[in-house]
Amino acid sequence: MSAAAANRVREAVASLDDTADRLASQSRRYYHNPYQTAWPQAVDPEGTWYTAPELSSLYGTPWWEGLAEPARHRLSFFEAVNFFSLNIHGEKTLMAGLASRLYRPDLAGIADYLHHFLDEENKHSVYFGGFCRRYARIYRSRQVQFPGSPFTAEQEDFLFFAKTMIFEEIVDYYNARQAKDVRLHPLARFINQYHHGEETRHLVFGRRLAARLWEVCAPAWGEQAREDIRRYLRAFMVMAWREYYNPGVYADCGFDDPWGVAEGAWQAAGQRAHRRAASGR
Ligand SMILES: [Fe+2]
Ligand SMILES: [Fe+2]
């Protein structure tokens, strides 16, 4: 990174020092040990809800209408397994990005909070992995990583925090609602509740940092680069949402044409409206 770019990043990050200190002290105060949870031996996928029905990817589609209650429960179970799986994949990338930024001189002021951020993501994945591996499996990610990047290191910093924020905003839409939903299996509800609690802090940090990096750094990039970045982030958001319509889920629920179901659900008017509402922030 050029000296001018590093100075801009340092300036943007400096205005977050107080926020990062406050969030770090909250992380210490609410420090959570993920190894004290009592996991049931087994869960019954058809016995109750694991995802709120209104948040199912098939809600409002003809496929939903065609399912009896136990089959809807089963779908809600595999949707939860998919939600937890996509979080594992997102958090792996996130942890790698946080680790690579720890103790970088221009990010020194937020190093303490980056430690908590990284620690908390790791613990989230302990829960997500614990659920998926005990009761089902981890679905593989369909996201493709392309080698190389057309962006500068400074732009990559902004993109890393902006993508993290977009990913976490979508996830938190689900977490926040399901944390309060007494219809859910207590374990599924707990995982949403716990995740929401820590993600609230990550989002305070991420929203401020992404905004500051854009304000301080982006004016030096030129209009073409800024437009490329906007287009890239729009594509990232579509890709992030696509993971919520996983043919593997529909196959595990016995649908004959899981890819057709995924495409039909993605196009359904009710699901478009849901994605718009959930992307509001
Ligand atoms: Fe997380
Ligand atoms: Fe997070």
Side-chain angles (χ1 to χ4, degrees):
M1 196 183 291
S2 71
N7 279 335
R8 286 193 292 269
V9 171
R10 190 177 284 112
E11 184 196 329
V13 168
S15 63
L16 256 91
D17 286 0
D18 290 349
T19 306
D21 287 347
R22 184 170 53 82
L23 293 170
S25 80
Q26 286 176 14
S27 283
R28 285 191 283 272
R29 184 162 158 216
Y30 298 108
Y31 193 82
H32 179 87
N33 179 347
Y35 299 105
Q36 291 173 324
T37 300
W39 294 85
Q41 273 294 321
V43 297
D44 175 11
E46 298 189 355
T48 188
W49 298 104
Y50 296 83
T51 302
E54 301 79 12
L55 294 178
S56 164
S57 64
L58 297 188
Y59 189 74
T61 71
W63 293 287
W64 178 267
E65 296 310 319
L67 296 176
E69 181 101 333
R72 288 178 177 179
H73 287 159
R74 185 179 171 80
L75 173 65
S76 88
F77 171 79
F78 285 108
E79 298 247 44
V81 174
N82 183 55
F83 182 52
F84 296 163
S85 297
L86 70 84
N87 269 284
I88 290 171
H89 301 308
E91 289 176 348
K92 276 171 63 176
T93 308
L94 174 49
M95 285 189 276
L98 291 169
S100 73
R101 287 172 173 82
L102 259 181
Y103 297 115
R104 226 178 63 191
D106 52 342
L107 304 177
I110 57 171
D112 279 348
Y113 189 61
L114 293 186
H115 267 299
H116 287 293
F117 204 148
L118 180 51
D119 167 56
E120 288 165 3
E121 294 305 347
N122 186 52
K123 291 190 287 201
H124 303 165
S125 281
V126 168
Y127 279 107
F128 298 138
F131 188 96
C132 293
R133 296 200 310 167
R134 271 182 187 82
Y135 310 126
R137 68 184 196 281
I138 298 171
Y139 288 114
R140 68 181 177 84
S141 173
R142 292 177 197 283
Q143 299 208 359
V144 192
Q145 304 286 353
F146 297 103
S149 160
F151 300 111
T152 66
E154 182 190 19
Q155 291 163 351
E156 283 293 346
D157 273 342
F158 165 73
L159 284 171
F160 170 71
F161 288 108
K163 288 193 291 183
T164 298
M165 182 190 69
I166 290 170
F167 180 82
E168 293 191 333
E169 289 282 12
I170 297 174
V171 166
D172 199 54
Y173 184 87
Y174 287 74
N175 282 156
R177 279 155 185 77
Q178 297 187 127
K180 298 182 287 200
D181 197 327
V182 294
R183 295 170 299 178
L184 257 62
H185 186 289
L187 183 58
R189 187 180 170 204
F190 167 75
I191 294 174
N192 277 277
Q193 206 168 44
Y194 164 61
H195 199 217
H196 172 59
E198 296 193 339
E199 290 299 306
T200 303
R201 294 194 292 275
H202 299 178
L203 280 164
V204 167
F205 182 75
R207 286 176 199 134
R208 290 209 51 186
L209 184 51
R212 284 301 289 158
L213 285 169
W214 184 260
E215 282 161 18
V216 176
C217 304
W221 297 343
E223 185 47 37
Q224 186 55 52
R226 288 194 296 271
E227 189 47 41
D228 291 346
I229 284 171
R230 288 189 194 99
R231 194 176 328 113
Y232 176 88
L233 285 176
R234 280 194 291 271
F236 173 80
M237 193 153 168
V238 172
M239 223 166 64
W241 268 118
R242 274 278 179 183
E243 300 266 308
Y244 286 75
Y245 301 80
N246 183 351
V249 168
Y250 312 128
D252 283 332
C253 292
F255 287 98
D256 290 336
D257 176 16
W259 288 92
V261 174
E263 191 50 34
W266 174 260
Q267 300 288 352
Q271 286 297 316
R272 287 172 185 269
H274 160 69
R275 292 196 297 276
R276 257 195 312 278
S279 304
R281 285 200 183 225

